[in-house]
Each structure stands twice: as structure tokens, then as C-alpha cells.
Amino acid sequence: MNVTKSGYRVFSANSSAACTELAKQITERLGVELGKSVVYQESNRETRVDVKESVRGQTIFIIQTIPRDVNTAIMELLVMAYALKTSCAKNIIGVIPYFPYSKQCKMRKRGSIVCKLLASMLAKAGLTHIITMDLHQKEIQGFFSFPVDNLRASPFLLQYIQEEIPDYRNAIIVAKSPSAAKRAQSYAERLRLGLAVIHGEAQCAESDMADGRHSPPCVRNTSGHPGLELPYSSLNEVMMAKEKPPITVVGDVGGRIAIIIDDIIDDVEDFIAAADILKERGAYKIYIMATHGLLSADAPRLIEESAIDEVVVTNTVPHEVQKLQCPKIKTVDVSMILAEAIRRIHNGESMAYLFRNITVDD
């Protein structure tokens, strides 16, 4: 395809070479060249973007992978989008495989819903559409004032299980907490395997975090109007800390391959604790499958020293350094579905084909 006649351009908004690898893979599949631009940091850490070719009247796709320096990557995306907007681009579509701040999509005490703020910033900068993958909560799509295509990595991870895990028919899909059970169930149903759920005090699910609704002090206040007071017993019941049952595994994992399913693997302590309890219950191999492998801090070393046999993630986030530190980390390429999404959006074709065999809970 001739890039000058295709009617669209593909740019990378990353300033680091490691983060442009996915953009190169996508453009190779599309048969186009990566747009000419320069993204760099000034000596005072300000972000500067120079677009080196005309984009007037064209549809622009900005591919932005998110490295460890999340805030710099966000600023690069915003500045590039605004530069393209002021250069009279017709449409500006962000391809953000891992959407940052997606875990901050609920109110916590006196905090804020940062994911909503980021959605507003992207719209203000000039984006008109977003392609992403496996949002932490599907409801995040409602934060945006423009269309969002939330692709799924599950077909690629399912294919890996079927082709790369020996004797996968003897496996069992595991949710490391009750909140992850729906996603795990969608994998179990498509693979026709059993399901196990880890439940108990070692887990710290997001739903257990205080959200501010139970913020009044425990001391009973008798100075107010009597009709406005909560009964003392009810107040105590509301303010009582959640007591979790002892850790347990719901489901038989003895003599099986345990495959833990999640969307993000960042801090790995919970996964290691889950692997330990599964080993105690008789599982002889432990695999972890996740879409986004952030693998922050000492995650590679901890994985290498743990009972986990293999961690499989996609290349939505660059993690080549972590793979060098831990050979247990494997990568599944999802550039094909991102390239196909770009092609279909540009040609005005239906996206339904990319969601075939995808369950409601995936």
C-alpha cells in the first residue's frame, strides 16, 4: 500500500525505541510506513513533538504503548494529538493497547476517578476515537464522549494454551479472587475445562477497598436531631471491618495444571501466594495468563524464585527487559488484531468479526 495514497497515516507517540516496536509490527502488517515525527523530552523534562509531514484532511492513527513512565507517555500522546489537531487532521484515532489509570475507575474515599479525567483530557486534545484492549472494567467506555473499541486478547491466549501447554486437557482454570471469576469462567467454557476460585484472607480485591461511603466516625453522636441518628447497633455493624474467611480453593486442583487468568499482572505478590496455595492443594504446574504484563519493581525476580512455571502476557506493554531477567515470561503477539482494527475502521467495515466467539464476561 502506498502511504501517500492510503488516505491515512500511522504515527508513534513514544520517545523511547523500545516502545515503538509494537507500532513497527502494526505498520508492517498494514503495509504502510510509520509517519515521520520526532518526540523527545527537553532538558527540563517538557515534552516536544514535531510532525515532519502534512496530515491535512487525513485520518491519523496514533499508536501509544505505555512504558513504566506512565505520565510521560500520556503527555506525549496528548501533545501529539493536539499537534495533529492544529495541523488540520480530519480524524485522530488513538491506538492505546493498555489504557493507563484504568484501575482508578472507582471513587476511593476522598480521591477521584482519574480514568474519567484522562478520558476528558484525550477528548480535549483532539482524539475522536480510541482502540484499546481488555479495559480493566468495561464500564470505562462510558467515560468517553467518542467511540471506544475495546478489543480482546483472549483468542490469542486461548490459542497459546491449546498449542503450547502440553496436556492442557488436564488443566483447570483458576480465578485468584472471586472478582476475577467471571473472566476465568469465560476461558473455562471455551476450553471446556473446570473452574476453581481462590477465596480467603490472603486476597485483597478492589471491591474490599474503602470507598468513603462508610466514612463517619465510629463514636455515636448524640448532639444531633434524634430522628437523624442511626441506631447504635446498625452503626457498629456498618463500621465493622470486613472479616475474610480462611484462604481456601473452591474446586479440585489436585494432579492438575492450574492456569490463573487475569487482565493485568503488575505486583506479583498475590499471584505468588495463589501459586503457593495451588501447589499445596496438589497442582503440579502453575501458569499465569494475563493481557497486560506491567511487571513492575522486582516482579521478574520474584517470579523466577516462585512456584510459578510460566507467565504468559501479550505485547500491549513493552517488557523485553523483564524477559531477560526472567526466562519464565513468555510473550504473545497481538499486533495482528490491532492492525486489522485500524484497517476496518479506515475502510468503514464492521468490527463484529474481531469479536466473534467472545463471551459477555470476557
Side-chain angles (χ1 to χ4, degrees):
M1 184 185 297
N2 190 328
V3 67
T4 60
K5 297 180 180 180
S6 63
Y8 71 94
R9 297 281 197 279
V10 180
F11 286 87
S12 172
N14 287 111
S15 57
S16 62
C19 296
T20 59
E21 188 61 32
L22 180 61
K24 291 177 181 177
Q25 292 175 2
I26 292 173
T27 52
E28 284 175 6
R29 290 183 179 276
L30 289 170
V32 302
E33 296 177 4
L34 200 58
K36 296 178 176 62
S37 64
V38 178
V39 182
Y40 61 97
Q41 312 299 318
E42 298 276 13
S43 57
N44 63 353
R45 302 300 297 165
E46 286 186 0
T47 298
R48 184 177 290 273
V49 173
D50 291 328
V51 180
K52 299 294 186 179
E53 58 185 288
S54 174
V55 296
R56 183 178 296 273
Q58 298 216 19
T59 297
I60 306 298
F61 293 87
I62 308 175
I63 301 173
Q64 180 69 329
T65 51
I66 306 297
R68 289 189 180 186
D69 192 355
V70 175
N71 295 328
T72 297
I74 291 171
M75 203 63 209
E76 289 170 349
L77 177 60
L78 292 171
V79 174
M80 175 162 276
Y82 191 66
L84 295 167
K85 176 183 177 181
T86 54
S87 298
C88 301
K90 181 180 179 182
N91 294 305
I92 304 171
I93 301 170
V95 182
I96 313 171
Y98 166 63
F99 194 81
Y101 287 98
S102 59
K103 285 191 174 183
Q104 297 190 47
C105 60
K106 296 180 181 179
M107 181 64 75
R108 305 295 184 197
K109 292 189 176 179
R110 294 172 183 83
S112 61
I113 304 176
V114 183
C115 195
K116 167 63 176 173
L117 171 64
L118 181 55
S120 301
M121 291 167 64
L122 292 172
K124 190 69 175 178
L127 288 181
T128 57
H129 194 149
I130 275 183
I131 303 170
T132 187
M133 181 168 281
D134 281 337
L135 286 170
H136 187 57
Q137 299 286 345
K138 289 189 276 294
E139 293 79 7
I140 290 173
Q141 295 173 81
F143 292 162
F144 294 87
S145 57
F146 49 75
V148 176
D149 285 306
N150 182 27
L151 304 177
R152 306 294 196 277
S154 59
F156 298 90
L157 296 176
L158 289 168
Q159 183 180 11
Y160 185 94
I161 292 172
Q162 293 171 325
E163 296 179 357
E164 302 295 334
I165 298 181
D167 194 24
Y168 83 92
R169 289 291 182 189
N170 189 38
I172 185 168
I173 303 298
V174 179
K176 72 177 181 68
S177 65
S179 60
K182 284 187 175 181
R183 183 185 300 271
Q185 183 181 0
S186 73
Y187 277 71
E189 288 175 351
R190 282 176 284 178
L191 290 168
R192 298 182 180 178
L193 298 177
L195 176 67
V197 179
I198 298 175
H199 177 63
E201 60 186 8
Q203 306 305 318
C204 183
E206 289 181 40
S207 58
D208 298 332
M209 298 172 64
D211 61 5
R213 288 175 292 180
H214 301 158
S215 58
C218 294
V219 180
R220 188 183 183 189
N221 183 4
T222 58
S223 59
H225 191 281
L228 300 179
E229 290 184 8
L230 285 172
Y232 185 59
S233 59
S234 298
L235 183 61
N236 277 347
E237 183 179 343
V238 166
M239 293 308 300
M240 190 178 299
K242 252 185 203 180
E243 294 183 2
K244 294 187 178 181
I247 190 166
T248 186
V249 179
V250 181
D252 181 18
V253 298
R256 312 286 284 278
I257 300 171
I259 304 175
I260 302 174
I261 302 295
D262 214 336
D263 62 328
I264 299 172
I265 175 168
D266 189 2
D267 296 323
V268 298
E269 284 82 0
D270 286 350
F271 291 93
I272 292 172
D276 290 340
I277 190 67
L278 291 170
K279 280 285 187 182
E280 290 176 10
R281 299 301 171 90
Y284 69 92
K285 273 196 174 180
I286 311 291
Y287 289 82
I288 295 176
M289 314 289 291
T291 303
H292 310 296
L294 306 186
L295 302 170
S296 301
D298 292 331
R301 179 182 61 81
L302 294 173
I303 291 170
E304 186 65 25
E305 297 171 356
S306 72
I308 298 168
D309 292 282
E310 199 167 279
V311 174
V312 183
V313 293
T314 71
N315 57 342
T316 56
V317 177
H319 51 263
E320 293 304 315
V321 174
Q322 291 90 329
K323 287 177 68 176
L324 293 174
Q325 296 171 345
C326 177
K328 292 182 179 180
I329 300 171
K330 308 296 181 183
T331 306
V332 174
D333 181 22
V334 293
S335 61
M336 180 176 67
I337 192 171
L338 294 169
E340 181 63 13
I342 290 173
R343 190 192 68 79
R344 285 175 174 269
I345 288 173
H346 173 66
N347 293 334
E349 298 176 22
S350 171
M351 297 285 282
Y353 178 78
L354 303 182
F355 294 93
R356 70 193 190 286
N357 302 325
I358 298 296
T359 63
V360 175
D361 295 324
D362 188 1

Coordinates of all heavy atoms in Angstrom, one line a residue, residues 117-183:
L117 N -11.0 11.5 34.2 CA -10.2 12.7 33.9 C -9.3 12.5 32.7 O -9.3 13.4 31.8 CB -9.3 13.1 35.1 CG -8.2 14.2 34.9 CD1 -8.9 15.5 34.6 CD2 -7.3 14.3 36.1
L118 N -8.7 11.4 32.6 CA -7.9 11.1 31.4 C -8.7 11.0 30.1 O -8.3 11.5 29.1 CB -7.1 9.8 31.6 CG -6.1 9.3 30.5 CD1 -5.1 10.4 30.2 CD2 -5.4 8.1 30.9
A119 N -9.9 10.4 30.2 CA -10.8 10.4 29.1 C -11.1 11.8 28.6 O -11.1 12.1 27.4 CB -12.0 9.6 29.4
S120 N -11.4 12.7 29.5 CA -11.7 14.1 29.2 C -10.5 14.8 28.5 O -10.7 15.6 27.6 CB -12.2 14.8 30.4 OG -13.3 14.2 31.0
M121 N -9.3 14.5 29.1 CA -8.1 15.2 28.5 C -7.9 14.7 27.1 O -7.5 15.5 26.2 CB -6.9 14.8 29.4 CG -7.0 15.5 30.8 SD -5.8 14.8 31.9 CE -4.2 15.2 31.2
L122 N -8.1 13.4 26.8 CA -7.8 12.9 25.5 C -8.8 13.5 24.5 O -8.5 13.9 23.3 CB -8.0 11.4 25.5 CG -6.9 10.6 26.2 CD1 -7.2 9.1 26.3 CD2 -5.5 10.8 25.6
A123 N -10.1 13.7 24.9 CA -11.1 14.3 24.0 C -10.7 15.8 23.8 O -10.8 16.3 22.6 CB -12.5 14.2 24.6
K124 N -10.3 16.5 24.8 CA -9.9 17.9 24.7 C -8.7 18.1 23.8 O -8.6 19.0 23.0 CB -9.6 18.5 26.0 CG -9.4 20.0 26.1 CD -10.8 20.7 25.8 CE -10.6 22.2 26.0 NZ -11.9 22.9 25.6
A125 N -7.8 17.1 23.8 CA -6.6 17.2 23.0 C -6.9 17.0 21.5 O -6.1 17.4 20.6 CB -5.5 16.2 23.4
G126 N -8.0 16.3 21.2 CA -8.4 16.2 19.8 C -8.7 14.8 19.3 O -9.0 14.6 18.2
L127 N -8.5 13.8 20.2 CA -8.8 12.4 19.8 C -10.3 12.3 19.5 O -11.2 12.9 20.2 CB -8.4 11.4 20.9 CG -6.9 11.2 21.0 CD1 -6.7 10.1 22.1 CD2 -6.3 10.7 19.8
T128 N -10.7 11.5 18.5 CA -12.1 11.3 18.1 C -12.5 9.9 18.2 O -13.7 9.6 17.9 CB -12.3 11.8 16.6 OG1 -11.4 11.0 15.8 CG2 -12.0 13.3 16.5
H129 N -11.6 9.0 18.5 CA -11.9 7.5 18.6 C -10.7 6.9 19.3 O -9.6 7.4 19.2 CB -12.0 7.0 17.2 CG -12.6 5.6 17.1 ND1 -13.4 5.2 16.0 CD2 -12.6 4.6 17.9 CE1 -13.8 4.0 16.1 NE2 -13.3 3.6 17.3
I130 N -11.0 5.8 20.0 CA -9.9 5.0 20.7 C -10.0 3.5 20.4 O -11.1 3.0 20.4 CB -9.9 5.3 22.2 CG1 -9.1 6.6 22.5 CG2 -9.2 4.1 23.0 CD1 -9.0 6.9 24.0
I131 N -8.9 2.9 20.1 CA -8.8 1.4 20.1 C -8.0 1.0 21.3 O -6.8 1.5 21.4 CB -8.2 0.9 18.8 CG1 -8.9 1.5 17.5 CG2 -8.1 -0.6 18.7 CD1 -8.2 1.2 16.2
T132 N -8.5 0.1 22.1 CA -7.8 -0.3 23.2 C -8.0 -1.8 23.4 O -8.7 -2.4 22.5 CB -8.2 0.4 24.5 OG1 -7.3 0.1 25.6 CG2 -9.6 0.2 24.9
M133 N -7.5 -2.4 24.4 CA -7.6 -3.9 24.6 C -7.8 -4.2 26.1 O -7.0 -3.8 26.9 CB -6.3 -4.6 24.1 CG -6.4 -6.1 24.2 SD -5.1 -6.9 23.2 CE -5.8 -6.8 21.6
D134 N -8.8 -5.0 26.4 CA -9.1 -5.5 27.7 C -9.0 -4.4 28.8 O -8.2 -4.5 29.7 CB -8.1 -6.7 28.0 CG -8.5 -8.0 27.4 OD1 -9.7 -8.1 27.1 OD2 -7.7 -8.9 27.2
L135 N -9.9 -3.5 28.7 CA -10.1 -2.5 29.7 C -10.3 -3.2 31.1 O -11.0 -4.2 31.1 CB -11.2 -1.5 29.4 CG -11.0 -0.5 28.3 CD1 -12.3 0.2 28.0 CD2 -10.0 0.5 28.8
H136 N -9.8 -2.6 32.1 CA -9.9 -3.2 33.4 C -11.4 -3.4 33.8 O -11.7 -4.4 34.4 CB -9.1 -2.4 34.5 CG -9.1 -3.0 35.8 ND1 -8.5 -4.3 36.0 CD2 -9.5 -2.6 37.0 CE1 -8.6 -4.6 37.3 NE2 -9.2 -3.6 37.9
Q137 N -12.2 -2.4 33.5 CA -13.6 -2.6 33.7 C -14.3 -2.1 32.4 O -13.9 -1.0 31.9 CB -14.1 -1.7 34.8 CG -13.5 -2.0 36.2 CD -14.1 -3.3 36.7 OE1 -15.2 -3.8 36.3 NE2 -13.5 -3.9 37.8
K138 N -15.2 -2.9 31.8 CA -15.8 -2.5 30.5 C -16.6 -1.2 30.6 O -16.8 -0.5 29.6 CB -16.7 -3.6 30.0 CG -15.9 -4.8 29.6 CD -16.7 -5.8 28.9 CE -17.4 -6.8 29.8 NZ -16.5 -7.7 30.5
E139 N -17.0 -0.9 31.9 CA -17.8 0.4 32.0 C -17.0 1.6 31.8 O -17.6 2.7 31.6 CB -18.4 0.4 33.5 CG -19.4 -0.7 33.7 CD -18.8 -2.0 34.0 OE1 -17.6 -2.1 34.1 OE2 -19.6 -3.0 34.2
I140 N -15.7 1.5 31.7 CA -14.8 2.7 31.5 C -15.2 3.3 30.1 O -15.0 4.5 29.9 CB -13.3 2.2 31.5 CG1 -12.9 1.9 32.9 CG2 -12.4 3.3 30.9 CD1 -11.5 1.3 33.0
Q141 N -15.7 2.5 29.2 CA -16.1 3.1 27.9 C -17.1 4.2 28.0 O -17.1 5.1 27.2 CB -16.7 2.0 27.0 CG -15.7 0.9 26.7 CD -16.3 -0.3 25.9 OE1 -16.5 -0.2 24.7 NE2 -16.6 -1.4 26.7
G142 N -17.9 4.2 29.1 CA -18.9 5.2 29.3 C -18.2 6.6 29.7 O -18.9 7.6 29.7
F143 N -17.0 6.6 30.1 CA -16.3 7.9 30.4 C -16.0 8.7 29.2 O -15.7 9.9 29.4 CB -15.0 7.6 31.1 CG -15.1 6.9 32.5 CD1 -14.0 6.3 33.1 CD2 -16.3 7.0 33.2 CE1 -14.2 5.7 34.3 CE2 -16.4 6.4 34.4 CZ -15.4 5.8 35.0
F144 N -16.0 8.1 28.0 CA -15.6 8.8 26.8 C -16.8 9.5 26.1 O -17.9 8.9 26.1 CB -14.8 7.9 25.9 CG -13.5 7.4 26.4 CD1 -13.5 6.3 27.2 CD2 -12.4 8.0 26.2 CE1 -12.3 5.8 27.8 CE2 -11.2 7.6 26.7 CZ -11.1 6.4 27.5
S145 N -16.5 10.6 25.4 CA -17.5 11.3 24.6 C -17.4 10.9 23.2 O -18.1 11.5 22.3 CB -17.4 12.8 24.8 OG -16.1 13.2 24.4
F146 N -16.6 9.9 22.9 CA -16.4 9.4 21.5 C -16.3 7.9 21.5 O -16.2 7.3 22.6 CB -15.2 10.1 20.8 CG -13.9 10.0 21.7 CD1 -13.2 8.8 21.8 CD2 -13.4 11.1 22.4 CE1 -12.1 8.7 22.6 CE2 -12.3 11.0 23.1 CZ -11.6 9.8 23.2
P147 N -16.4 7.3 20.3 CA -16.4 5.8 20.3 C -15.1 5.2 20.8 O -14.0 5.7 20.7 CB -16.5 5.5 18.8 CG -17.1 6.7 18.2 CD -16.5 7.9 19.0
V148 N -15.3 4.0 21.5 CA -14.2 3.2 22.0 C -14.4 1.8 21.6 O -15.4 1.2 21.8 CB -14.2 3.3 23.6 CG1 -13.1 2.4 24.1 CG2 -14.0 4.7 24.1
D149 N -13.4 1.2 20.9 CA -13.3 -0.2 20.6 C -12.5 -0.9 21.5 O -11.2 -0.8 21.5 CB -12.9 -0.4 19.1 CG -13.9 0.0 18.1 OD1 -15.0 -0.5 18.2 OD2 -13.6 0.8 17.2
N150 N -13.1 -1.7 22.4 CA -12.3 -2.5 23.4 C -12.1 -3.9 22.9 O -12.9 -4.8 23.1 CB -13.2 -2.5 24.7 CG -12.4 -3.2 25.9 OD1 -11.2 -3.3 25.9 ND2 -13.2 -3.7 26.8
L151 N -11.0 -4.1 22.3 CA -10.6 -5.4 21.7 C -10.3 -6.4 22.8 O -10.1 -6.1 24.0 CB -9.5 -5.3 20.7 CG -9.6 -4.3 19.6 CD1 -8.3 -4.3 18.8 CD2 -10.8 -4.7 18.7
R152 N -10.3 -7.7 22.5 CA -10.0 -8.8 23.5 C -8.8 -9.6 23.0 O -8.6 -9.9 21.9 CB -11.2 -9.7 23.6 CG -12.5 -9.1 23.9 CD -12.5 -8.4 25.3 NE -13.9 -8.1 25.7 CZ -14.6 -7.0 25.4 NH1 -14.0 -6.1 24.6 NH2 -15.8 -6.9 25.8
A153 N -7.9 -9.9 24.0 CA -6.8 -10.7 23.8 C -7.0 -12.2 24.0 O -6.2 -13.0 23.7 CB -5.6 -10.3 24.7
S154 N -8.2 -12.5 24.5 CA -8.5 -13.9 24.9 C -8.3 -14.9 23.7 O -7.8 -16.0 24.0 CB -9.9 -14.1 25.5 OG -10.9 -13.6 24.6
P155 N -8.7 -14.6 22.5 CA -8.4 -15.6 21.4 C -6.9 -16.0 21.3 O -6.6 -17.2 21.0 CB -8.9 -14.9 20.2 CG -10.0 -14.0 20.7 CD -9.4 -13.5 22.0
F156 N -6.0 -15.0 21.5 CA -4.6 -15.3 21.4 C -4.1 -16.1 22.6 O -3.3 -17.0 22.4 CB -3.8 -14.0 21.2 CG -4.2 -13.2 20.0 CD1 -5.2 -12.3 20.1 CD2 -3.5 -13.4 18.8 CE1 -5.6 -11.5 19.0 CE2 -3.9 -12.7 17.7 CZ -4.9 -11.7 17.8
L157 N -4.6 -15.8 23.7 CA -4.2 -16.6 24.9 C -4.8 -18.0 24.9 O -4.1 -18.9 25.3 CB -4.6 -15.8 26.2 CG -4.0 -14.4 26.4 CD1 -4.6 -13.7 27.6 CD2 -2.5 -14.5 26.5
L158 N -6.0 -18.1 24.4 CA -6.6 -19.4 24.3 C -5.8 -20.3 23.3 O -5.6 -21.5 23.6 CB -8.1 -19.3 23.9 CG -9.0 -18.8 24.9 CD1 -10.4 -18.4 24.2 CD2 -9.3 -19.7 26.0
Q159 N -5.4 -19.7 22.2 CA -4.6 -20.4 21.2 C -3.3 -20.9 21.9 O -2.8 -22.0 21.6 CB -4.4 -19.5 20.0 CG -3.6 -20.2 18.9 CD -3.4 -19.3 17.7 OE1 -3.6 -18.1 17.8 NE2 -2.9 -19.9 16.6
Y160 N -2.7 -20.0 22.7 CA -1.4 -20.4 23.3 C -1.6 -21.6 24.2 O -0.8 -22.5 24.3 CB -0.9 -19.2 24.1 CG 0.5 -19.4 24.7 CD1 1.6 -19.0 24.1 CD2 0.6 -20.1 26.0 CE1 2.9 -19.3 24.6 CE2 1.9 -20.3 26.5 CZ 3.0 -19.9 25.8 OH 4.2 -20.2 26.4
I161 N -2.7 -21.5 25.0 CA -3.0 -22.7 25.9 C -3.1 -24.0 25.1 O -2.5 -25.0 25.5 CB -4.3 -22.4 26.7 CG1 -4.0 -21.2 27.7 CG2 -4.7 -23.6 27.5 CD1 -5.3 -20.8 28.4
Q162 N -3.8 -23.9 24.0 CA -4.1 -25.1 23.2 C -2.8 -25.6 22.5 O -2.7 -26.8 22.3 CB -5.2 -24.9 22.2 CG -6.6 -24.6 22.9 CD -7.6 -24.2 21.9 OE1 -7.3 -23.4 21.0 NE2 -8.8 -24.6 22.1
E163 N -2.0 -24.7 22.1 CA -0.8 -25.1 21.3 C 0.5 -25.3 22.1 O 1.4 -26.1 21.7 CB -0.6 -24.1 20.2 CG -1.8 -24.1 19.2 CD -1.5 -23.0 18.1 OE1 -0.5 -22.3 18.2 OE2 -2.4 -22.9 17.2
E164 N 0.6 -24.6 23.2 CA 1.9 -24.5 23.9 C 1.9 -25.2 25.2 O 3.0 -25.4 25.8 CB 2.3 -23.1 24.1 CG 2.5 -22.3 22.8 CD 3.6 -22.8 21.9 OE1 4.5 -23.4 22.4 OE2 3.4 -22.7 20.6
I165 N 0.8 -25.5 25.8 CA 0.7 -26.2 27.1 C 0.5 -27.7 26.9 O -0.6 -28.0 26.5 CB -0.3 -25.6 28.0 CG1 0.0 -24.1 28.3 CG2 -0.4 -26.3 29.3 CD1 -1.0 -23.4 29.2
P166 N 1.5 -28.5 27.1 CA 1.2 -30.0 26.9 C 0.1 -30.5 27.9 O 0.0 -30.1 29.0 CB 2.6 -30.6 27.3 CG 3.6 -29.4 27.2 CD 2.8 -28.2 27.6
D167 N -0.7 -31.4 27.3 CA -1.8 -32.0 28.1 C -2.7 -30.9 28.8 O -3.0 -31.0 29.9 CB -1.1 -32.9 29.2 CG -2.2 -33.8 29.8 OD1 -3.2 -34.1 29.2 OD2 -1.9 -34.2 31.0
Y168 N -3.0 -29.9 28.0 CA -3.9 -28.8 28.6 C -5.3 -29.3 28.9 O -6.0 -28.7 29.7 CB -4.0 -27.6 27.6 CG -5.0 -27.8 26.5 CD1 -6.3 -27.3 26.7 CD2 -4.7 -28.4 25.3 CE1 -7.2 -27.4 25.7 CE2 -5.6 -28.5 24.3 CZ -6.9 -28.0 24.5 OH -7.8 -28.1 23.5
R169 N -5.6 -30.5 28.4 CA -6.9 -31.1 28.7 C -7.0 -31.5 30.2 O -8.1 -31.7 30.8 CB -7.2 -32.3 27.8 CG -7.5 -31.9 26.4 CD -8.8 -31.2 26.3 NE -9.2 -30.9 24.9 CZ -10.2 -30.1 24.5 NH1 -10.9 -29.6 25.5 NH2 -10.4 -29.9 23.3
N170 N -5.8 -31.6 30.8 CA -5.8 -32.0 32.2 C -5.6 -30.7 33.1 O -5.3 -30.8 34.2 CB -4.6 -32.9 32.5 CG -4.6 -33.4 33.9 OD1 -5.7 -33.7 34.5 ND2 -3.4 -33.5 34.5
A171 N -5.9 -29.5 32.5 CA -5.8 -28.3 33.2 C -7.1 -27.9 33.8 O -8.2 -28.4 33.5 CB -5.3 -27.2 32.3
I172 N -7.0 -26.9 34.8 CA -8.1 -26.3 35.4 C -7.9 -24.8 35.4 O -6.8 -24.3 35.7 CB -8.4 -26.8 36.8 CG1 -9.7 -26.3 37.3 CG2 -7.3 -26.6 37.7 CD1 -10.2 -27.0 38.6
I173 N -8.9 -24.0 35.0 CA -8.8 -22.5 35.0 C -9.1 -22.0 36.4 O -10.0 -22.4 37.1 CB -9.8 -21.9 34.0 CG1 -9.6 -22.5 32.6 CG2 -9.7 -20.4 34.0 CD1 -8.2 -22.2 32.0
V174 N -8.2 -21.1 36.9 CA -8.3 -20.6 38.3 C -8.5 -19.1 38.3 O -7.8 -18.4 37.6 CB -7.0 -21.0 39.0 CG1 -7.1 -20.5 40.5 CG2 -6.8 -22.5 39.0
A175 N -9.4 -18.6 39.1 CA -9.6 -17.2 39.4 C -8.9 -17.0 40.7 O -9.2 -17.6 41.7 CB -11.0 -16.8 39.4
K176 N -7.9 -16.0 40.8 CA -7.2 -15.8 42.0 C -8.0 -15.0 43.1 O -7.6 -14.9 44.2 CB -5.9 -15.1 41.8 CG -6.0 -13.6 41.4 CD -4.6 -13.0 41.2 CE -4.7 -11.5 40.9 NZ -5.2 -10.7 42.0
S177 N -9.2 -14.6 42.7 CA -10.1 -13.9 43.6 C -11.5 -14.0 43.1 O -11.7 -14.2 41.9 CB -9.7 -12.5 43.9 OG -9.9 -11.7 42.7
P178 N -12.5 -14.0 43.9 CA -13.9 -14.0 43.4 C -14.2 -13.0 42.3 O -15.0 -13.2 41.4 CB -14.8 -13.8 44.7 CG -13.9 -14.3 45.8 CD -12.5 -13.9 45.4
S179 N -13.6 -11.8 42.4 CA -13.8 -10.7 41.5 C -13.4 -11.1 40.1 O -13.8 -10.5 39.1 CB -13.2 -9.4 41.9 OG -11.8 -9.6 42.0
A180 N -12.4 -12.0 40.0 CA -11.9 -12.5 38.7 C -12.6 -13.7 38.1 O -12.2 -14.2 37.1 CB -10.4 -12.7 38.7
A181 N -13.7 -14.2 38.8 CA -14.3 -15.4 38.5 C -15.0 -15.4 37.1 O -15.0 -16.4 36.4 CB -15.3 -15.8 39.6
K182 N -15.6 -14.3 36.8 CA -16.3 -14.2 35.5 C -15.4 -14.3 34.3 O -15.7 -15.0 33.4 CB -17.1 -12.9 35.4 CG -18.4 -12.9 36.3 CD -19.2 -11.6 36.0 CE -20.5 -11.7 36.8 NZ -21.4 -10.5 36.5
R183 N -14.3 -13.6 34.4 CA -13.3 -13.7 33.3 C -12.8 -15.1 33.2 O -12.6 -15.7 32.1 CB -12.1 -12.7 33.5 CG -11.1 -12.7 32.4 CD -9.9 -11.8 32.8 NE -10.4 -10.4 33.0 CZ -10.5 -9.5 32.1 NH1 -10.2 -9.8 30.8 NH2 -10.9 -8.3 32.4

